[in-house]
Amino acid sequence: MLSGIQHFIFCRRQWALIHIEQQWEENFHTMDGRIMHENAHDGFSCEKRKDTIISRGMPVYSGTMGVSGICDIVEFKHSKDGAYIRKFDDTFEVTPIEYKRGKPKKDASDILQVAAQVMCLEEMLSCTIEKGALFYGQTRRRMEVPVTGELRKQVSDIFAEMHQYYERGYTPRVKKSKACSSCSLKDICLPELERARSAKSYVKRYLEEKPE
């Protein structure tokens, strides 16, 4: 899933628990974010506002990267220098917009997610898209995301790593951090057991102990 890139950047173990082991739990943050996405789109639909067509819940994919997902919003703004879109029989500037709760994050997970959407749309529509956008619920502002060559390489490299983990069925070990306290999977992941002895080390120590 395209959206998995955000989980992967936040924590590779969290991504594996969700996407490989199929485990999930809601907390306030995930519930609030889900409601915001549901408000942004309710199924696939389009509407026109002046010179702009707004597509909600648009499915996207990339055969090259082996990912698929859904864009919250894709704006098609009429432009004589834009890409030709067969469905609308005209030329448009294409911009995916991802809706997020809260405010901009310190890491690049949101930026990488919208960049991945840009790359999927480019492959689907055979066009070039220079930027995407993020809209944050707390700030109520749109933030433009220029999609550079460096950003594109990061996205491709991350998806390649995700495929390697998925094919191996590999779930990384716990790496406890401050982010663990806000993770919806903390009761499944159990990061507080990070330093607990493994069963193997326990048995080895037991067998090596001399009887009294």
Side-chain angles (χ1 to χ4, degrees), residues 55-157:
S55 174
R56 303 176 185 276
M58 180 176 175
V60 294
Y61 69 90
S62 166
T64 303
M65 295 187 293
V67 297
S68 62
I70 295 176
C71 291
D72 290 336
I73 302 286
V74 180
E75 284 187 351
F76 296 87
K77 187 173 184 178
H78 186 265
S79 170
K80 63 179 182 180
D81 299 320
Y84 176 73
I85 306 299
R86 183 182 301 176
K87 179 178 179 179
F88 305 129
D89 192 26
D90 212 334
T91 54
F92 296 85
E93 178 184 336
V94 184
T95 307
I97 305 165
E98 177 68 13
Y99 276 60
K100 297 293 182 185
R101 67 175 301 278
K103 56 186 179 180
K105 298 182 177 65
K106 293 181 180 179
D107 64 31
S109 56
D110 292 347
I111 291 172
L112 288 163
Q113 184 176 354
V114 79
Q117 292 177 0
V118 163
M119 294 167 72
C120 287
L121 285 165
E122 286 180 328
E123 188 172 322
M124 290 171 58
L125 303 174
S126 299
C127 68
T128 299
I129 303 172
E130 296 182 354
K131 66 180 185 301
L134 290 158
F135 181 86
Y136 288 95
Q138 187 172 328
T139 61
R140 307 298 297 177
R141 290 183 180 179
R142 181 186 295 193
M143 183 181 83
E144 284 196 352
V145 179
V147 182
T148 63
E150 181 181 354
L151 198 55
R152 292 170 187 274
K153 185 178 185 305
Q154 278 185 272
V155 170
S156 296
D157 289 347

Side-chain angles (χ1 to χ4, degrees), residues 2-204:
L2 186 153
S3 60
I5 194 169
Q6 188 183 40
H7 299 135
F8 198 77
I9 295 301
F10 175 76
C11 172
R12 283 160 168 72
R13 179 173 172 82
Q14 185 203 62
W15 173 83
L17 288 172
I18 295 170
H19 296 273
I20 296 177
E21 299 190 15
Q22 301 292 304
Q23 300 194 59
W24 179 253
E25 280 192 5
E26 288 268 35
N27 65 9
F28 168 77
H29 301 294
T30 59
M31 190 179 297
D32 192 35
R34 177 171 54 78
I35 291 170
M36 186 172 184
H37 280 80
E38 289 172 354
N39 290 336
H41 60 79
D42 182 15
F44 180 44
S45 63
C46 288
E47 65 175 292
K48 188 172 182 180
R49 296 181 183 177
K50 296 182 179 180
D51 64 344
T52 302
I53 296 172
I54 300 171
S55 174
R56 303 176 185 276
M58 180 176 175
V60 294
Y61 69 90
S62 166
T64 303
M65 295 187 293
V67 297
S68 62
I70 295 176
C71 291
D72 290 336
I73 302 286
V74 180
E75 284 187 351
F76 296 87
K77 187 173 184 178
H78 186 265
S79 170
K80 63 179 182 180
D81 299 320
Y84 176 73
I85 306 299
R86 183 182 301 176
K87 179 178 179 179
F88 305 129
D89 192 26
D90 212 334
T91 54
F92 296 85
E93 178 184 336
V94 184
T95 307
I97 305 165
E98 177 68 13
Y99 276 60
K100 297 293 182 185
R101 67 175 301 278
K103 56 186 179 180
K105 298 182 177 65
K106 293 181 180 179
D107 64 31
S109 56
D110 292 347
I111 291 172
L112 288 163
Q113 184 176 354
V114 79
Q117 292 177 0
V118 163
M119 294 167 72
C120 287
L121 285 165
E122 286 180 328
E123 188 172 322
M124 290 171 58
L125 303 174
S126 299
C127 68
T128 299
I129 303 172
E130 296 182 354
K131 66 180 185 301
L134 290 158
F135 181 86
Y136 288 95
Q138 187 172 328
T139 61
R140 307 298 297 177
R141 290 183 180 179
R142 181 186 295 193
M143 183 181 83
E144 284 196 352
V145 179
V147 182
T148 63
E150 181 181 354
L151 198 55
R152 292 170 187 274
K153 185 178 185 305
Q154 278 185 272
V155 170
S156 296
D157 289 347
I158 289 167
F159 279 132
E161 187 179 352
M162 288 165 68
H163 279 296
Q164 290 175 3
Y165 281 28
Y166 194 86
E167 288 164 9
R168 292 168 56 198
Y170 173 64
T171 299
R173 296 181 63 182
V174 175
K175 289 186 178 179
K176 193 173 181 181
S177 69
K178 293 180 180 178
C180 292
S181 60
S182 62
C183 178
S184 65
L185 299 186
K186 62 182 179 182
D187 292 334
I188 295 173
C189 177
L190 300 175
E192 66 273 12
L193 298 182
E194 174 194 16
R195 297 186 179 180
R197 286 183 299 168
S198 67
K200 182 178 179 180
S201 64
Y202 175 83
V203 171
K204 182 179 179 182

